[in-house]
Amino acid sequence: MNPILDLDFIDNRTPEQATAAPSCDTHVTKENNTGRSRKLYIESYGCAMNFSDSEIVSSIMFEQGFDTTADIAQADLVFLNTCSIREKAEQTVRNRLGQINHFKKKKPAMMVGILGCMAERLKKSLLEEEKIVDLVVGPDAYRDLPNLINEVDGGQKAVNVLLSREETYADINPIRLNSNGVSAFISIMRGCDNMCSFCVVPFTRGRERSRDAHSIVREAEALVAQGYKEVTLLGQNVDSYKWASEDGTESVNFAQLLEMVALLSPDLRVRFSTSHPKDITDEVLYTMKKYDNICKYIHLPAQSGNSRVLELMNRTYDRDWYINRVDAIRAILGEDCGISSDMIAGFCTETEEEHQDTLSLMDYVQYDYSYMFFYSERPGTLAARKLEDDIPLEVKKRRLDEIINKQRETSLARNKRDIGKVHKVLVEGPSKKSEDQLSGRNDQNKVVIFYKKHYKKGDYVNVLVHDCSVGTLFGEAVD
Ligand code: SAH
Ligand code: SF4
Ligand code: F3S
């Protein structure tokens, strides 16, 4: 998910990128050359949580004598930080391992490790299935990497996929090699307790736990001191963030945490993802309203617009509840607050009428954008055990197409509303198409492109929007 948000999402996003913050393609960790003796190459797949974890892993490996390289041919150690959210996500990693084999043939001493959700799901069977793999490390076991690397150095294969109820890596200072120097992710919690019936995350990431609020604030403070202008607080369900000090004298919920981070600097934009419709409170919405620097944008995945399907999905809210939350957002934060969603087409037993309910919910909410997927059964999940994956692939794909077309309509309609208005844009860098243009995002997380004049990365610029496409706003800087 991220951090460069390209809103041509419909064409180039993969479903797994949607988790816990919008995301871009596979991340390759950048070069960090400090003269250390060995080189690590990390590629990250899936969601922002994984991209954020790769920064923690880089930090642990740096202490262990590894610089990072962006050139796999230079690497002594290759890590793939993997995603299991859909079958295709895992297939992508397996294909990549095939390619990495060519490098390993040229450089037999190169070690290959699988980290993240696929490591957790498949455990040591990965070593048997993929001969090239030397180590398999789950998302809660990264502190053990130095020992595991020693084992591999000693000629063995190594596995640690223990999940933890406490680990939050709170004290590890991530090396921000995935960042553009303007915006950064901060993990505020790990795991998920929700057990949505389609979802593999509770199995790959373990139980939900919240990180020490003060360590989060310290991390944000350090980022401000380094010149960062935006932080995104990350969790699978940020609204259930709840931290208490060990002596029980202090307790912080998500609205309070948001406020603590927002108060650090009025120049720091604060974003967060993902909000769960069952948990998002009016208190959070009022906190967003109170602080100009908390961005008015909420990723609120609905998954379906039909109450029976939502129940089968074990989402624990129904259509009316969801609509009530959207109404609260509009009432408290206004019509301009950005709202996005995730939608799954063709979940087990979904009828045509129920699919129509998803389309009508999209009409009601008028999402700015959505991440849209067809259902992919995941082994071990509640749905895989209890429900039949009975919607034929061509029906799933047709329903998904209808959802995508509906989203294109509403994205365009929402973007047209932005024309003629001045938007405060945080510049992230040159636009992809021209060095003369800059690209940044407005409060609602939409990409805005404009001619650069004297502006540069990290500036806040007022941009008068005069045109739009489905995924982008175009305008000119007004001084
Ligand atoms: N924690 C977030 C989402 C995590 S996964 C939330 O609760 O909303 C990101 C998205 O992937 C989900 O919102 C869902 O739309 C999609 N997804 C998860 N499992 C899937 C599956 N088995 N098949 C298709 N899409 C899936
Ligand atoms: Fe998966 Fe549901 Fe948890 Fe999101 S809230 S990570 S969809 S189980
Ligand atoms: Fe993220 Fe994929 Fe794991 S979406 S939590 S990397 S299964």
Side-chain angles (χ1 to χ4, degrees):
M1 222 109 271
N2 248 335
I4 322 294
L5 189 69
D6 176 354
L7 287 180
D8 290 328
F9 56 92
I10 290 164
D11 302 315
N12 62 13
R13 297 290 182 96
T14 62
E16 62 276 16
Q17 290 166 358
T19 316
S23 73
C24 72
D25 310 57
T26 311
H27 261 258
V28 173
T29 293
K30 286 184 216 143
E31 195 95 18
N32 175 34
N33 211 337
T34 65
R36 307 218 148 200
S37 58
R38 300 210 273 182
K39 290 207 178 299
L40 162 68
Y41 172 92
I42 310 190
E43 228 170 68
S44 312
Y45 295 80
C47 67
M49 303 293 297
N50 258 11
F51 300 155
S52 166
D53 280 1
S54 290
E55 298 181 334
I56 289 168
V57 168
S58 302
S59 173
I60 293 170
M61 297 308 294
F62 181 75
E63 297 300 322
Q64 201 57 23
F66 284 83
D67 275 335
T68 50
T69 173
D71 176 7
I72 192 168
Q74 304 290 319
D76 302 293
L77 172 61
V78 172
F79 279 159
L80 302 186
N81 196 355
T82 60
C83 173
S84 289
I85 200 82
R86 295 171 317 127
E87 198 180 332
K88 192 165 161 248
E90 292 195 355
Q91 197 50 51
T92 305
V93 169
R94 291 188 192 272
N95 295 344
R96 185 66 178 133
L97 283 173
Q99 293 165 355
I100 290 170
N101 213 2
H102 296 298
F103 291 100
K104 181 143 175 161
K105 277 191 185 134
K106 285 189 206 138
K107 192 173 178 181
M110 178 191 266
M111 291 186 249
V112 178
I114 298 290
L115 313 181
C117 292
M118 215 175 145
E120 192 61 52
R121 196 179 83 73
L122 295 164
K123 304 189 168 52
K124 69 172 189 299
S125 70
L126 253 179
L127 293 178
E128 285 132 41
E129 288 167 32
E130 303 287 349
K131 298 285 178 247
I132 178 187
V133 174
D134 300 299
L135 70 166
V136 175
V137 190
D140 286 346
Y142 298 145
R143 279 183 207 271
D144 196 29
L145 275 168
N147 299 325
L148 298 167
I149 298 287
N150 280 342
E151 281 180 40
V152 178
D153 279 340
Q156 293 165 33
K157 301 234 169 186
V159 181
N160 186 344
V161 289
L162 286 176
L163 286 172
S164 156
R165 278 175 174 260
E166 286 95 35
E167 182 63 89
T168 59
Y169 301 111
D171 56 315
I172 293 183
N173 218 349
I175 300 189
R176 304 275 169 195
L177 294 171
N178 293 325
S179 168
N180 56 8
V182 176
S183 41
F185 294 124
I186 303 184
S187 276
I188 63 163
M189 56 209 292
R190 298 181 71 83
C192 182
D193 280 352
N194 282 324
M195 298 304 268
C196 300
S197 63
F198 51 80
C199 185
V200 79
V201 172
F203 304 95
T204 61
R205 293 261 160 185
R207 298 305 298 268
E208 181 184 289
R209 65 221 96 121
S210 296
R211 177 178 164 189
D212 182 327
H214 300 294
S215 80
I216 296 168
V217 171
R218 277 197 299 276
E219 191 171 328
E221 226 164 14
L223 287 164
V224 172
Q226 290 164 44
Y228 280 81
K229 296 286 176 63
E230 181 177 88
V231 293
T232 302
L233 308 181
L234 287 181
Q236 294 296 353
N237 176 4
V238 289
D239 303 285
S240 69
Y241 176 88
K242 187 103 201 140
W243 172 80
S245 60
E246 265 174 32
D247 60 10
T249 55
E250 196 188 4
S251 123
V252 180
N253 69 15
F254 182 59
Q256 292 161 333
L257 178 73
L258 257 184
E259 180 160 50
M260 286 160 75
V261 178
L263 281 169
L264 286 176
S265 160
D267 258 355
L268 179 73
R269 271 190 172 174
V270 185
R271 298 187 183 277
F272 55 89
S273 193
T274 297
S275 301
H276 196 296
K278 83 175 157 67
D279 292 320
I280 188 166
T281 59
D282 288 356
E283 188 191 0
V284 167
L285 302 179
Y286 283 116
T287 306
M288 290 175 74
K289 185 183 165 84
K290 187 169 164 195
Y291 294 96
D292 280 347
N293 60 331
I294 304 181
C295 290
K296 306 300 177 278
Y297 160 65
I298 300 175
H299 183 54
L300 193 71
Q303 314 295 357
S304 164
N306 176 269
S307 295
R308 188 191 72 91
V309 174
L310 286 169
E311 191 172 348
L312 283 181
M313 287 177 164
N314 200 25
R315 288 291 285 182
T316 69
Y317 54 85
D318 61 10
R319 181 184 172 98
D320 287 347
W321 174 279
Y322 187 88
I323 286 178
N324 166 287
R325 293 292 75 209
V326 171
D327 290 347
I329 293 169
R330 297 279 181 234
I332 296 167
L333 294 167
E335 286 299 316
D336 285 341
C337 181
I339 306 181
S340 59
S341 185
D342 296 346
M343 293 294 186
I344 298 180
F347 187 62
C348 312
T349 74
E350 182 189 68
T351 66
E352 283 304 324
E353 292 70 37
E354 290 166 341
H355 162 63
Q356 291 298 325
D357 286 344
T358 296
L359 298 175
S360 74
L361 182 73
M362 295 174 80
D363 276 331
Y364 182 86
V365 180
Q366 293 285 302
Y367 294 110
D368 293 84
Y369 48 94
S370 294
Y371 305 94
M372 299 155 283
F373 324 113
F374 61 76
Y375 174 58
S376 159
E377 186 178 80
R378 308 307 294 127
T381 55
L382 267 164
R385 283 184 279 133
K386 300 257 190 310
L387 302 169
E388 195 189 340
D389 181 13
D390 59 350
I391 308 297
L393 186 60
E394 62 282 7
V395 176
K396 286 181 181 173
K397 285 188 171 166
R398 195 251 308 144
R399 289 183 189 167
L400 177 61
D401 273 350
E402 290 173 11
I403 291 173
I404 289 172
N405 288 335
K406 173 68 69 187
Q407 187 54 56
R408 293 187 80 98
E409 273 170 36
T410 55
S411 292
L412 193 59
R414 288 286 293 176
N415 287 353
K416 282 186 175 163
R417 293 176 79 246
D418 293 328
I419 293 176
K421 294 180 189 154
V422 173
H423 298 249
K424 187 176 173 188
V425 175
L426 174 59
V427 180
E428 291 175 351
S431 89
K432 272 192 215 154
K433 294 202 177 122
S434 158
E435 280 291 319
D436 295 334
Q437 293 178 327
L438 291 173
S439 171
R441 279 180 289 155
N442 71 359
D443 212 20
Q444 286 74 26
N445 216 27
K446 294 184 186 180
V447 172
V448 184
I449 308 280
F450 60 97
Y451 279 100
K452 69 177 178 194
K453 294 188 178 168
H454 55 282
Y455 295 108
K456 57 183 190 315
K457 187 162 103 170
D459 286 347
Y460 283 108
V461 183
N462 288 322
V463 178
L464 175 63
V465 167
H466 53 61
D467 199 4
C468 70
S469 66
V470 168
T472 313
L473 304 178
F474 304 95
E476 62 180 297
V478 286
D479 300 314

